[in-house]
Amino acid sequence: MAVQTIYFVFRNKPSLLKELVDVAIAGDDEPVPTMDRPWFAEILSAPTAESALTALVGATRRTLERVAALTEMVRAAAATNPEIRELWPDRADPRYTVLSTAARSLTEKPGARATVSADEAADILYAVLSPELFLILTRDRGWPPPKWERWACDTLRTQLLAGKGQ
């Protein structure tokens, strides 16, 4: 493809980067918000906290496989390029918005740990399912993504789900 065609479609490099990140997050180029996608509806409609958590971690893994390395690149580029920084203004992190919605749903389901609030669950999900931690374990430590997914599920089960006798 000719460079001129790319500039005609995307106007500039920051716009191209934004489109690349958006498509990587979604997994397609359809203009459907994350919380309107079928995989997110599956999490919200799951009958138990366990099934919601399993669906969330699986969907997060698939997303992080596409976008985690891009997130790191965008953060570095935004630190030095004001045009890129303007594309991701300092505001509520959309990833946290998605995870806090999932956390509210999860904490209301049977099997959720009663002592963990939706806000605390959102913070735990935000940390454990972060692109940074995903990259540390999959890229830096060489874990295959399915191993990361099992670990994330096991870790989150102990934090968010009721154990025997709880």
Side-chain angles (χ1 to χ4, degrees):
M1 180 177 293
V3 172
Q4 303 308 38
T5 303
I6 293 170
Y7 277 103
F8 178 76
V9 172
F10 296 104
R11 297 181 318 278
N12 56 39
K13 288 177 186 176
S15 294
L16 174 61
L17 180 60
K18 175 83 165 91
E19 182 68 17
L20 176 65
V21 170
D22 289 348
V23 169
I25 289 170
D28 59 45
D29 62 354
E30 298 299 317
V32 179
T34 299
M35 291 192 286
D36 291 340
R37 291 186 169 268
W39 66 263
F40 195 74
E42 179 186 340
I43 293 163
L44 298 181
S45 66
T48 65
E50 170 86 25
S51 58
L53 181 63
T54 300
L56 176 62
V57 174
T60 300
R61 174 193 141 195
R62 290 186 297 276
T63 301
L64 289 174
E65 285 182 284
R66 294 187 304 266
V67 79
L70 285 174
T71 302
E72 191 173 60
M73 181 183 69
V74 167
R75 188 170 290 128
T80 60
N81 186 321
E83 287 180 77
I84 293 174
R85 195 169 33 252
E86 288 173 19
L87 293 174
W88 287 278
D90 291 331
R91 60 175 170 76
D93 185 338
R95 191 171 69 82
Y96 187 81
T97 302
V98 169
L99 291 173
S100 64
T101 301
R104 275 193 306 280
S105 177
L106 188 144
T107 57
E108 295 171 356
K109 295 182 185 299
R113 185 180 294 254
T115 57
V116 178
S117 70
D119 288 341
E120 185 179 358
D123 290 345
I124 292 167
L125 290 170
Y126 188 74
V128 173
L129 301 179
S130 70
E132 296 85 0
L133 189 50
F134 179 82
L135 287 174
I136 287 170
L137 294 175
T138 60
R139 182 193 61 202
D140 300 349
R141 301 306 313 146
W143 287 19
K147 180 178 180 177
W148 174 88
E149 184 176 346
R150 284 189 305 277
W151 170 83
C153 270
D154 290 346
T155 299
L156 290 168
R157 278 186 194 101
T158 65
Q159 295 294 308
L160 303 177
L161 303 183
K164 291 186 168 100
Q166 290 183 349

